[in-house]
Amino acid sequence: MPELPEVENVRRGLTALIVGKTVQAVGTDWAKILVGGLEGFQQALTGATVTAVERRGKYLLLRFDNALTLVSHLRMEGKYQLVLDPAEPKHRFVHVWFTFSDGTQLRYHDMRKFGRMQLVPTGSEATAVAGLAKMGPEPTAETFAAPAFYRELRRHKQAVKSVILDQSVVAGVGNIYADETLWLAELNPEQPACTLTQKEAARLHDAIIAELAAATDLGGTSVHSFVDASGKRGGFQERLHVYDREGTGCDRCGTTIVKIKVGQRGTHYCPKCQPLRKRKLR
């Protein structure tokens, strides 16, 4: 958390709130968030104007008119807020702030301090940022090809859930949507990826695209602390079928949802709808 739908909604909010604003100052009380340190951010961004806010996978890309891009990864708890008065007291979890020439201030909240921001020349993100270098396709019909996905699954003997969490396979899927898409596709999260049939892989492919699109349209999922850049909670938590629903009945068959660990991640599924099928490893 946040995953692709949440980050996309943050992107949309920031686009409306900060594009066209010029940075007057950068501040922090936890410099580790700023890769390279505060001084470099101050020198590079003072006087620079935000021209666009884009997204790649779970990363935000803030474009500036000086040919630099700020790559922001929210990690577990990161969130942005625009305040109209920089003199307004900062919450104790505000660790980075960008003051604009119009008197507003963009504040970055991060309770765990796991998030990171990195400045790179615009256009170099894919090579300059480790997490973007091997990023897989975006989960859309135009960029995420079912045949290529099936070939990728055949290469992996580990659990299919672990494979779709790998950002080099498909961008943006995290723990919540991995559980949900596997439920939609009626696949066991522990099923070895290489044992999926082409039909099963196609169902999973289509479920990933549909689920992430639906979650994005509803503002993302706020099961914990997620809010968008305007402070609004998502609405997709009302449509979760298995995630965080252990002990309740499956929406499809009524069987009790169970929780296990797959690759050290809490995992929810329906034992009846998603049976583990014994097949030879390919």
Side-chain angles (χ1 to χ4, degrees):
M1 260 307 270
E3 302 178 28
L4 185 150
E6 292 75 47
V7 178
E8 174 60 20
N9 276 279
V10 172
R11 184 201 69 78
R12 294 176 183 181
L14 288 178
T15 296
L17 291 171
I18 68 171
V19 168
K21 291 181 182 287
T22 299
V23 177
Q24 186 178 71
V26 183
T28 184
D29 69 353
W30 194 261
K32 288 182 180 180
I33 293 173
L34 304 176
V35 177
L38 175 60
E39 185 176 349
F41 273 72
Q42 290 173 325
Q43 291 177 351
L45 295 184
T46 300
T49 298
V50 182
T51 59
V53 182
E54 300 174 7
R55 179 194 54 76
R56 179 73 171 101
K58 302 178 188 179
Y59 290 79
L60 289 168
L61 309 174
L62 280 66
R63 309 289 194 189
F64 290 89
D65 65 352
N66 60 355
L68 289 178
T69 290
L70 189 159
V71 181
S72 173
H73 197 317
L74 304 176
R75 298 287 175 88
M76 293 292 293
E77 298 284 349
K79 56 179 68 73
Y80 284 98
Q81 174 195 26
L82 186 72
V83 297
L84 301 180
D85 182 5
E88 179 182 319
K90 295 181 178 68
H91 189 280
R92 66 192 181 103
F93 295 136
V94 171
H95 298 304
V96 180
W97 49 93
F98 303 86
T99 304
F100 297 114
S101 59
D102 66 356
T104 60
Q105 189 175 76
L106 182 66
R107 295 178 175 179
Y108 175 72
H109 300 236
D110 195 337
M111 181 175 68
R112 302 193 187 190
K113 304 175 183 175
F114 287 166
R116 291 294 181 267
M117 301 179 193
Q118 183 175 347
L119 281 172
V120 300
T122 296
S124 72
E125 307 85 36
T127 54
V129 180
L132 293 174
K134 296 182 179 180
M135 185 72 67
E138 292 288 315
T140 67
E142 295 76 22
T143 57
F144 185 32
F149 179 54
Y150 176 56
R151 290 194 296 272
E152 186 66 28
L153 292 175
R154 286 174 59 88
R155 296 179 54 245
H156 298 278
K157 294 182 179 180
Q158 66 262 51
V160 64
K161 176 175 178 177
S162 297
V163 175
I164 63 174
L165 285 175
D166 183 342
Q167 299 300 292
S168 70
V169 174
V170 57
V173 178
N175 203 45
I176 294 173
Y177 300 112
D179 284 0
E180 292 296 307
T181 55
L182 288 165
W183 181 85
L184 284 175
E186 299 184 49
L187 296 172
N188 189 285
E190 294 186 291
Q191 190 73 41
C194 64
T195 67
L196 264 64
T197 66
Q198 190 165 4
K199 185 176 181 180
E200 289 169 338
R203 284 207 313 265
L204 180 57
H205 166 270
D206 293 348
I208 290 172
I209 293 174
E211 190 77 350
L212 294 181
T216 299
D217 288 345
L218 286 176
T221 303
S222 292
V223 292
H224 298 298
S225 62
F226 170 73
V227 293
D228 65 17
S230 299
K232 183 179 178 182
R233 286 171 57 83
F236 199 70
Q237 61 274 10
E238 306 301 328
R239 291 180 51 177
L240 296 176
H241 296 289
V242 288
Y243 181 82
D244 210 25
R245 287 195 55 205
E246 64 269 23
T248 67
C250 172
D251 290 337
R252 192 160 44 212
C253 73
T255 301
T256 300
I257 301 299
V258 300
K259 182 179 181 179
I260 60 172
K261 284 282 186 74
V262 176
Q264 307 301 315
R265 307 296 297 274
T267 299
H268 310 77
Y269 76 104
C270 171
K272 182 176 180 180
C273 291
Q274 300 169 261
L276 180 61
R277 304 185 185 283
K278 294 183 178 181
R279 295 169 178 166
K280 290 183 178 180
L281 297 180
R282 297 173 180 173

